[in-house]
Amino acid sequence: TIETGAIVPNANSYATVQQLRDFASARGITVPADDADCEHLLVKACDYIGAQEHRFKGTRVSSLQPLSWPRNGVYLFGTKFANDAIPVQVIAGQCQLAVSAQTTDLLPSTDPAASRTKREKVGPLETEYFSASENAGNYSQPIIAAADAIMAELYKAPRFSIMVGRG
């Protein structure tokens, strides 16, 4: 179900399968021939966009909308963006994420307390695992640079920056 900016109930995508195919074709990328497989990739990509909501400019138009967009108070390239539309950057970003989802788990669910091998010796069979405290925080979300580049104008400016210079 495609979100058009009209706050579509049960929306789960910003991009259509055809938009994904056109995006991929223009870049020489292959996507599945089956529409259902493409839809699954688009939903995964939309889930990732939802997980990035804290990074987006503006606020949701309605607390009842199922997805992060449309948004109020968004300025793109110095111009106020309509709060009843979806930016092309969201659609293209979702298509890029769908392409990436073919080979990358966009939202991996890992247990930070799960054991990872610290040392393994094959000879007389010796295996050592990181302790829970050593392992804590060793899970991460993939960095999807291509999608971030496409959607960069949609993100808030960093809250702080550090300037380094020589005196």
Side-chain angles (χ1 to χ4, degrees):
T1 306
I2 306 301
E3 176 57 69
T4 62
I7 307 178
V8 177
N10 302 315
N12 62 2
S13 183
Y14 301 104
T16 65
V17 169
Q18 188 57 54
Q19 287 171 315
L20 172 59
R21 291 191 192 292
D22 292 346
F23 179 91
S25 175
R27 289 156 182 80
I29 300 169
T30 302
V31 293
D34 183 61
D35 285 355
D37 290 341
C38 287
E39 288 172 2
H40 292 134
L41 293 172
L42 286 167
V43 168
K44 289 178 182 181
C46 195
D47 290 346
Y48 180 89
I49 289 172
Q52 303 306 308
E53 183 167 1
H54 66 282
R55 297 175 65 191
F56 292 129
K57 296 175 182 177
T59 58
R60 286 179 178 226
V61 170
S62 167
S63 61
L64 301 177
Q65 68 190 69
L67 301 178
S68 302
W69 291 86
R71 298 181 78 74
N72 282 317
V74 175
Y75 285 80
L76 298 179
F77 307 103
T79 303
K80 189 169 194 301
F81 188 78
N83 67 354
D84 62 352
I86 305 301
V88 295
Q89 295 93 334
V90 171
I91 296 166
Q94 183 184 8
C95 290
Q96 177 60 56
L97 288 162
V99 165
S100 297
Q102 293 183 101
T103 57
T104 302
D105 186 357
L106 301 178
L107 294 170
S109 50
T110 55
D111 179 1
S115 297
R116 294 180 304 130
T117 303
K118 182 177 184 179
R119 177 177 38 161
E120 184 173 353
K121 185 177 176 186
V122 178
L125 296 177
E126 179 181 321
T127 304
E128 181 180 352
Y129 296 97
F130 286 100
S131 69
S133 62
E134 290 175 309
N135 203 33
N138 286 325
Y139 62 99
S140 64
Q141 198 170 336
I143 296 171
I144 312 294
D148 277 344
I150 291 168
M151 296 189 296
E153 182 64 20
L154 305 174
Y155 295 142
K156 299 174 197 169
R159 292 183 184 229
F160 64 90
S161 60
I162 299 172
M163 296 186 68
V164 179
R166 296 180 86 179

